Every structure is written in structure tokens, then in C-alpha cells.
Amino acid sequence: MELKRRPRRLRANEIIRSMVRENHVRVEELIYPMIVMPGEKKKIEISSMPGVYNFSLDEFILQLQQVVELGIPAILLFGIPESKDSVGAGAYHEHGIVQEAVRLAKKQFPQLYVITDVCLCEYTDHGHCGLIENGQILNDPTLDLLAQTAVSHARAGADMVAPSDMMDGRVAAIREALDEEGFSHIPIMAYSAKVASGFYGPFREAAGSTPQFGDRRTYQMDPANGNEAMLETALDIEEGADLIIVKPALAYGDITYRTKEKFGVPVVAYNVSGEYSMVKAAAANGWIDEQRIVMEALVSMKRAGADLLITYHALDVARWLREGGQV
């Protein structure tokens, strides 16, 4: 039997495999999530996320030196306030923890692209992403506070804001507020397809943002609904979103693919805390090759259509890429 097409010809060695490789993970596509907290000389490892820390501002700046040296172009900032209250006032205070972190980062490393998470959950004593009344999460009254938060981040020097709350209409409210305050140039990276997922558990430990009652299923998406993700994305784009986040990434590659195919906008896959922790736990037990698994997972997100990757593995990935690592 004569075989005219032999796909194995292009798999013969690493040189030809790399030459015909369809998707790549590149350091310039990485966004590194970081959590800042009050205090001094604090670098507290998150027990469920080995290698990931909460940083006081002085330690945060030291860590940014490493981020910049590795060529990672952007960070996504989260904050833990000094105190919490029912309205999340620390989120939109002009001298809140994130606002101060942004000022420091832009002063020390002006070339670093600083993206800020816009939400109330880390700042509220009840742990929900919106205002509460009689046990209900209020949508419209929350929008003004989210808009104030985004504007305060822009004033501090943020390059981009990323609303993660999943309140209806929040992109429009933030876009209008930014434009009115002279920040029409600030892009919005919307958590549009954000699922009510079990993969977020380790981050909630890190940020102290576990809801004190109920859960977030009334505002985050049902994991079973792909068409709803398309609706959420369409609404956010209509309201002014410039980039779209799919979160989590690993179990939702179909949503990433559909988002890119349908809308053609820049799509960001968020490789979330639970995904990170599962890999770290398995690697610590010697069950998997950590580098190989991480790179394979990230390239799967690229293959699905992601343009950018938010990942807690970013520092390791940047080192591996420097050493010539790929899938």
C-alpha cells in the first residue's frame, strides 16, 4: 500500500515539530495576577497555592522587579483592605490598597501594564460582589460603586480596568463614568463569561472573599449554559467592553472558542486558582511533569482561541520559555 500523506514526516524531530507548530505560548501574552495587602515586610504564602503570595506594598515592589526582569508585560491587581464593611468602601477609596499599589507600580516600573480587578467582594464584610438588602444582592445600586472604583483606579494610574462582579449593566456604567472623568482611553477587560465555579476555592482563601451566606449563583453564570455566555458577552461588547475574559479556562475551552469565533474581539483565558492548585498538588506528589502539564494546558487555551493568558504560573512559564520550553 502506497501512502501519499504521512503526517509523521512532520513529527520526526523537534526542529520540524517546532517549525510547523500551530499555536505557541509567548511571554508577551502572559498576565500575572497579584494580591496586595496592608502592612510592611509581609509576604504570606497561600497554603492552597504553593508559590503564590499576598504582598504588602514594599514586598510587592520587590516582586515586580522579578516580573519585569522575566519580561512579563502585565499584572492583574487584587487587594485586601485594612478593614471591611457592608458597602465595600475600601474598593473605591482614593487611597485604598489597590490604588496605592497602582501608584507605586507605575512610579517604579512605568513600562509595566497594570490592570485592576474591579469588584466589591474582597472589601465587603459579607463577601458578596454587590450591596445587600434583606439577603438579596442588589444589582443597580451596586453599579455606581463599581464605577467609582474603576475611576479611582484610573486616577491612580491603572492602564486597564477589569470588572469581575457580574452585575448586569456594569460595563456601561463603568464606561460612562470613565469617559465623563476624562479616561476614555482606558480599556475595559470584562469578565463576561464568568461561571459560578468550584475552581475558585483557593483564591477565596487568599483574598478572604468567601460569601458569608449563600453563594454567587444568582449573578455568576450556570456552568451548564454556553448560549448564556454568548449573551453575556454580546451585552458587554455592546456596552463598551474591549476585551473579554472567559473564567475558568480549562473546563470552558468551548466558551473561549465560541467567543472568538462569534465576536472576533481579544479573548483572555483566566487559568484560575483551582486549576493552579490541582497541578501543584499533583506535581508535589510526583504524579505529573509540572512543566509539561502547565504548558500543555496553556497551549490548549491558545488553541481554543485565547489571545492572552491570566495565570498564576506566569513566573514559571516565563522562565521555561526563556530556557526554550514549549509543548
Side-chain angles (χ1 to χ4, degrees), residues 7 29 113 162 177 194 229 243 268 295 297-298:
E29 299 159 347
Y113 201 83
K194 182 179 180 180
L243 304 91
V268 186
M295 297 305 293
L298 294 181

Side-chain angles (χ1 to χ4, degrees), residues 89-214:
Y92 41 90
H93 194 287
E94 290 295 331
H95 295 284
I97 187 67
V98 164
Q99 289 82 349
E100 292 303 314
V102 171
R103 291 186 180 98
L104 277 173
K106 296 306 291 185
K107 179 180 179 181
Q108 296 292 325
F109 304 100
Q111 75 275 32
L112 185 68
Y113 201 83
V114 177
I115 308 166
T116 56
D117 181 81
V118 175
C119 196
L120 302 184
C121 63
E122 296 118 84
Y123 304 88
T124 55
D125 51 17
H126 47 73
H128 278 288
C129 302
L131 298 176
I132 302 293
E133 185 176 280
N134 299 323
Q136 299 295 313
I137 293 89
L138 303 179
N139 192 97
D140 293 7
T142 301
L143 300 183
D144 181 58
L145 301 185
L146 295 169
Q148 289 182 47
T149 301
V151 168
S152 71
H153 292 176
R155 284 198 187 109
D159 296 293
M160 179 186 291
V161 295
S164 62
D165 56 283
M166 289 299 285
M167 297 295 117
D168 293 341
R170 89 273 200 211
V171 172
I174 290 170
R175 183 73 275 158
E176 181 179 359
L178 288 171
D179 292 354
E180 287 180 352
E181 294 295 326
F183 298 111
S184 60
H185 60 287
I186 299 292
I188 297 174
M189 181 170 69
Y191 290 70
S192 301
K194 182 179 180 180
V195 172
S197 172
F199 284 103
Y200 305 149
F203 177 85
R204 289 176 181 169
E205 175 207 334
S209 60
T210 302
Q212 297 303 299
F213 67 91

Side-chain angles (χ1 to χ4, degrees), residues 203-225:
F203 177 85
R204 289 176 181 169
E205 175 207 334
S209 60
T210 302
Q212 297 303 299
F213 67 91
D215 54 39
R216 294 178 176 147
R217 299 186 194 196
T218 65
Y219 46 102
Q220 294 180 356
M221 281 180 33
D222 188 324
N225 294 354

Side-chain angles (χ1 to χ4, degrees), residues 5-323:
R5 295 298 300 273
R6 291 182 180 269
R8 287 187 57 191
R9 292 176 185 140
L10 301 184
R11 303 175 195 150
N13 55 53
E14 179 53 29
I15 295 174
I16 189 61
R17 287 194 297 271
S18 65
M19 288 173 66
V20 300
R21 189 163 290 142
E22 297 174 24
N23 294 281
H24 298 79
V25 175
R26 297 184 172 91
V27 69
E28 58 264 32
E29 299 159 347
L30 300 176
I31 300 171
Y32 185 43
M34 300 184 71
I35 305 173
V36 289
M37 62 186 299
E40 294 181 355
K41 302 186 184 306
K42 290 183 178 179
K43 181 182 178 181
I44 302 174
E45 188 170 33
I46 300 160
S47 62
S48 57
M49 299 178 70
V52 177
Y53 301 83
N54 290 349
F55 297 100
S56 58
L57 293 180
D58 53 339
E59 293 289 339
F60 165 67
I61 289 298
L62 293 177
Q63 184 74 359
L64 284 189
Q65 181 67 49
Q66 185 177 14
V67 172
V68 170
E69 288 175 355
L70 285 169
I72 296 169
I75 60 170
L76 175 60
L77 263 181
F78 299 86
I80 300 173
E82 189 80 52
S83 61
K84 303 187 180 191
D85 57 33
S86 62
V87 296
Y92 41 90
H93 194 287
E94 290 295 331
H95 295 284
I97 187 67
V98 164
Q99 289 82 349
E100 292 303 314
V102 171
R103 291 186 180 98
L104 277 173
K106 296 306 291 185
K107 179 180 179 181
Q108 296 292 325
F109 304 100
Q111 75 275 32
L112 185 68
Y113 201 83
V114 177
I115 308 166
T116 56
D117 181 81
V118 175
C119 196
L120 302 184
C121 63
E122 296 118 84
Y123 304 88
T124 55
D125 51 17
H126 47 73
H128 278 288
C129 302
L131 298 176
I132 302 293
E133 185 176 280
N134 299 323
Q136 299 295 313
I137 293 89
L138 303 179
N139 192 97
D140 293 7
T142 301
L143 300 183
D144 181 58
L145 301 185
L146 295 169
Q148 289 182 47
T149 301
V151 168
S152 71
H153 292 176
R155 284 198 187 109
D159 296 293
M160 179 186 291
V161 295
S164 62
D165 56 283
M166 289 299 285
M167 297 295 117
D168 293 341
R170 89 273 200 211
V171 172
I174 290 170
R175 183 73 275 158
E176 181 179 359
L178 288 171
D179 292 354
E180 287 180 352
E181 294 295 326
F183 298 111
S184 60
H185 60 287
I186 299 292
I188 297 174
M189 181 170 69
Y191 290 70
S192 301
K194 182 179 180 180
V195 172
S197 172
F199 284 103
Y200 305 149
F203 177 85
R204 289 176 181 169
E205 175 207 334
S209 60
T210 302
Q212 297 303 299
F213 67 91
D215 54 39
R216 294 178 176 147
R217 299 186 194 196
T218 65
Y219 46 102
Q220 294 180 356
M221 281 180 33
D222 188 324
N225 294 354
N227 291 336
E228 185 183 11
M230 298 303 100
L231 172 61
E232 287 278 7
T233 299
L235 290 171
D236 283 354
I237 291 172
E238 183 181 333
E239 292 176 17
D242 301 284
L243 304 91
I244 300 298
I245 295 177
V246 176
K247 180 183 180 184
L250 276 178
Y252 298 88
D254 61 315
I255 303 302
T256 299
Y257 179 82
R258 290 178 65 181
T259 300
K260 191 64 178 179
E261 287 289 297
K262 185 175 179 66
F263 301 105
V265 297
V267 178
V268 186
Y270 198 144
N271 181 211
V272 299
S273 60
E275 297 166 350
Y276 175 91
S277 296
M278 289 191 301
V279 170
K280 284 291 186 179
N285 279 284
W287 297 337
I288 61 170
D289 179 331
E290 180 178 350
Q291 179 175 341
R292 186 172 179 181
I293 289 291
V294 170
M295 297 305 293
E296 187 173 341
L298 294 181
V299 86
S300 78
M301 299 167 202
K302 292 294 302 296
R303 192 178 65 246
D307 300 285
L308 301 173
L309 304 167
I310 302 172
T311 179
Y312 299 93
H313 296 287
L315 297 180
D316 286 333
V317 171
R319 294 188 191 100
W320 296 334
L321 290 174
R322 182 172 286 183
E323 294 164 2

